Amino acid sequence: IGAVVLFVAIWMYPVSDGRTRLAGILLFSAIWLSLIALVWSHGILRFALLAFSVLCGVFLLLPGHSRHDTALLRGDFVAGMRRYTGVSYYWGGESPKGIDCSGLMQRGLIDGMFLRGILSGDPALVRYAIWLWWHRCNAADLGSGRGATLRCFSTPSLNRLDHARILPGDLAVTVSGMHVMGYLGGNLWIEADPTLGRVIIERAPSQNNVWFTTPMNIVRWRILDPGPK
């Protein structure tokens, strides 16, 4: 019961770090083992839980698919970001209880890759989602073009951007590294706006949103890059 209470408390708090992630894993493991212990005398339930545990472990260890449909993954990422529309802004947040600009980009990709990995039976995508969940990155990290992202080009502003040069799922990071937005396609951008205090979708060009008149670096998640044509 104590493990369940603590796990729910950690899950409800919108901000997490390495300590809370590790605590969540340990608490979930304790809850799962306790559940197995509680049903140990019931042969069928015991077998089902143990079999499920083994199958999950084996699935995560299997090799992933050799090729991925980046267009499909982009659609999953866009859908993942859209699910957070209207969620309250919370600095450092990365959950439906509160989220910030970089948390929105990261959670959208985590949700999209995890769901696609399960639906397609691709453990590589599930492992990637877990890796991304463990390694929190801020807007400056995303804009650096190192690690999980690559930098495409710079633009004086989103209002002056030729949207034909970008693809749904691309990111726009302010040159200062303070803010990041995600492209949904059709000149629509999604962001966790700190001024309005919630996740919004807005169309470019926009004269009412300061981020649309700010110099930006266009970056792309490496896993979503279609490569040379």
Side-chain angles (χ1 to χ4, degrees), residues 60-155:
L60 288 174
L61 293 174
L62 291 174
H65 297 175
S66 58
R67 299 183 63 182
H68 297 111
D69 184 342
T70 55
L72 183 63
L73 297 184
R74 284 176 172 277
D76 293 330
F77 173 43
V78 167
M81 289 190 292
R82 280 184 174 274
R83 294 190 191 100
Y84 291 87
T85 304
V87 170
S88 298
Y89 179 90
Y90 195 103
W91 186 80
E94 50 182 334
S95 81
K97 279 76 67 181
I99 203 164
D100 69 3
C101 62
S102 58
L104 172 62
M105 304 300 113
Q106 197 161 349
R107 283 302 311 210
L109 190 61
I110 290 170
D111 294 353
M113 297 306 98
F114 185 85
L115 182 59
R116 179 56 54 190
I118 296 297
L119 293 177
S120 64
D122 188 346
L125 293 179
V126 177
R127 289 194 296 267
Y128 179 82
I130 295 172
W131 176 86
L132 197 60
W133 168 75
W134 185 260
H135 296 85
R136 178 71 158 95
C137 50
N138 56 33
D141 295 330
L142 295 174
S144 68
R146 299 187 296 270
T149 62
L150 58 89
R151 185 178 292 183
C152 300
F153 60 91
S154 298
T155 180

Side-chain angles (χ1 to χ4, degrees), residues 3-5 7-8 26-36:
V4 171
V5 172
F7 180 79
V8 171
L26 294 176
L27 288 169
F28 180 81
S29 300
I31 293 168
W32 188 255
L33 292 174
S34 298
L35 180 61
I36 293 175

Side-chain angles (χ1 to χ4, degrees), residues 163-178:
H163 284 70
R165 297 182 64 188
I166 62 176
L167 296 170
D170 284 350
L171 311 178
V173 185
T174 58
V175 172
S176 64
M178 293 179 58

Side-chain angles (χ1 to χ4, degrees), residues 32 36 40 43-59:
W32 188 255
I36 293 175
W40 192 261
I44 295 179
L45 289 177
R46 180 181 69 218
F47 174 78
L49 292 178
L50 290 173
F52 181 76
S53 302
V54 172
L55 288 175
C56 288
V58 171
F59 174 74

